[in-house]
Amino acid sequence: MAKRNEPLVTHIYTADPSAHVFEGKLYIYPSHDLDHEKTSNDNGDQYDMEDYHVLSMEDPDAPCVDHGEALHLRDIPWAKQQLWAPDAAFKNDTYYLFFPARDGQGIFRIGVATGKSPTGPFEPEADYIPGSFSIDPAVLVDEDDKAYMYFGGLWGGQLEKWQTGKFLPDAEGPDPTEPALGPRVARLSDDMLGFASATMEIAIVDENGRPILAGDEERRYFEGPWVHKYNGLYYLSYSTGSTHYIVYATSTNPEGPYHYRGRILTPVIGWTTHHSIVQFKERWYLFYHDSSLSGGADNKRSVKFTELHYNEDGTIRTIDPYEV
């Protein structure tokens, strides 16, 4: 049986969980960490994942099932290495798996694969999504059937390299006193295989409407965007990276601007923190990962989950996953 704040599976290492409810069940789309020794660096070379597995649970108290390999690097024509954090969506009677990988030039792009089942197998498109870059795609299919992709990550995710609209390999991030880089968003085409709009940067502002600064590492965007709706409000949650928090901001518009509201998850064991938020029936759940199962190895993580609670004013209660 699945237990709160315990690894969903222990026979493989999993990370970066994107959780969805499809066909009345919980499906989790994680990245698959390989079980080998790696030296960590800021470029993320230790995260050399090669395939994706799909996990599912009939409900939060049921056993977690590994449905096996759904997509492998060798089957993606344009991708050279590093299948990082994916996401999935359903539209047009089709399941879509969105994923980042480095192309032949070592530049992160975002690809898409399609399948007829939430567990795959998924057939990748021959090339990456035109105009895509960086990492951590997260897709929201809104009530009006419009779909938005949120993406972007600093450091190894190369977001700093795209500030001019072109890839500049030596580009650095903003000065600490300047506005932080925000995640990117683009509206997806009706067939979900491309962008229907130009990518735009999302503004994240403080309680006074001022941009969060690059030096504000406890609140600034780093990677892992996720957008969900609660009571008609859009919640953008993300990792702060170097300070290891999952925090959130809210907006009345899926494209922002978003106002910073607070912390969702305190730091976990391991350097990275990455999450998703999903409603199953009347309850809400936070899926996340840590490196507890591997004894703290950054590149060998395990997906976990716990219940998430809102306050009456719509704020989210901060979760300490190790609180007894």
Side-chain angles (χ1 to χ4, degrees):
M1 307 294 281
K3 293 182 178 180
R4 310 297 197 270
N5 300 310
E6 295 291 339
L8 285 183
V9 295
T10 58
H11 64 290
I12 59 172
Y13 290 110
T14 55
D16 311 319
S18 291
H20 294 273
V21 176
F22 295 137
E23 301 176 358
K25 294 170 57 174
L26 277 163
Y27 286 90
I28 303 98
Y29 300 84
S31 50
H32 174 203
D33 285 346
L34 299 177
D35 188 5
H36 55 197
E37 303 306 314
K38 283 285 185 177
T39 301
S40 299
N41 61 40
D42 288 346
N43 196 46
D45 295 329
Q46 65 271 29
Y47 307 116
D48 56 348
M49 301 86 96
E50 296 178 350
D51 68 349
Y52 296 113
H53 285 226
V54 179
L55 309 178
S56 74
M57 296 187 292
E58 293 284 348
D59 62 66
D61 296 315
C64 184
V65 176
D66 177 5
H67 294 273
E69 184 180 286
L71 180 65
H72 195 282
L73 180 67
R74 62 175 170 264
D75 299 322
I76 306 168
W78 62 268
K80 181 181 179 182
Q81 64 191 91
Q82 292 181 299
L83 294 183
W84 284 12
D87 192 21
F90 178 73
K91 190 178 175 181
N92 307 322
D93 293 321
T94 302
Y95 292 93
Y96 299 86
L97 184 70
F98 299 92
F99 57 90
R102 289 183 189 264
D103 66 12
Q105 287 70 53
I107 299 173
F108 267 110
R109 304 288 186 173
I110 296 172
V112 57
T114 56
K116 288 301 180 183
S117 165
T119 59
F122 291 96
E123 181 70 27
E125 295 294 300
D127 206 350
Y128 57 78
I129 295 173
S132 69
F133 56 92
S134 197
I135 61 169
D136 293 349
V139 172
L140 171 72
V141 180
D142 212 345
E143 282 98 339
D144 59 5
D145 221 30
K146 290 181 181 177
Y148 301 85
M149 179 187 288
Y150 304 85
F151 63 94
L154 302 181
W155 297 7
Q158 303 178 338
L159 190 57
E160 298 98 326
K161 315 300 184 187
W162 289 95
Q163 295 174 81
T164 64
K166 296 182 179 181
F167 183 81
L168 301 177
D170 297 323
E172 297 182 354
D175 184 85
T177 60
E178 296 176 349
L181 296 178
R184 300 303 198 269
V185 62
R187 191 160 58 82
L188 288 168
S189 54
D190 287 339
D191 65 7
M192 302 286 277
L193 302 179
F195 293 155
S197 66
T199 63
M200 60 173 283
E201 184 176 4
I202 291 176
I204 304 174
V205 300
D206 65 15
E207 61 276 9
N208 297 311
R210 301 190 190 98
I212 300 290
L213 301 181
D216 186 353
E217 295 188 22
E218 293 197 350
R219 297 191 296 176
R220 67 93 161 84
Y221 177 81
F222 187 89
E223 64 183 359
W226 184 263
V227 175
H228 74 279
K229 288 182 78 172
Y230 175 74
N231 284 351
L233 202 60
Y234 296 88
Y235 285 68
L236 165 67
S237 43
Y238 56 91
S239 166
T240 61
S242 53
T243 50
H244 318 293
Y245 293 107
I246 297 293
V247 299
Y248 72 105
T250 59
S251 178
T252 57
N253 187 313
E255 297 175 315
Y258 282 83
H259 289 75
Y260 179 88
R261 300 293 295 274
R263 295 174 182 170
I264 295 175
L265 185 68
T266 57
V268 298
I269 296 168
W271 201 93
T272 66
T273 184
H274 194 111
H275 77 297
S276 59
I277 295 170
V278 65
Q279 183 181 19
F280 185 80
K281 297 181 179 177
E282 300 303 315
R283 297 179 183 272
W284 287 85
Y285 297 92
L286 173 78
F287 284 76
Y288 65 100
H289 71 231
D290 74 5
S291 297
S292 58
L293 185 66
S294 65
D298 286 346
N299 65 306
K300 292 190 283 190
R301 300 158 292 181
S302 297
V303 167
K304 301 181 173 184
F305 80 108
T306 191
E307 194 167 347
L308 178 141
H309 298 280
Y310 299 90
N311 297 310
E312 287 188 8
D313 63 357
T315 55
I316 296 174
R317 299 180 200 170
T318 304
I319 296 167
D320 178 350
Y322 307 115
E323 192 174 53
V324 178

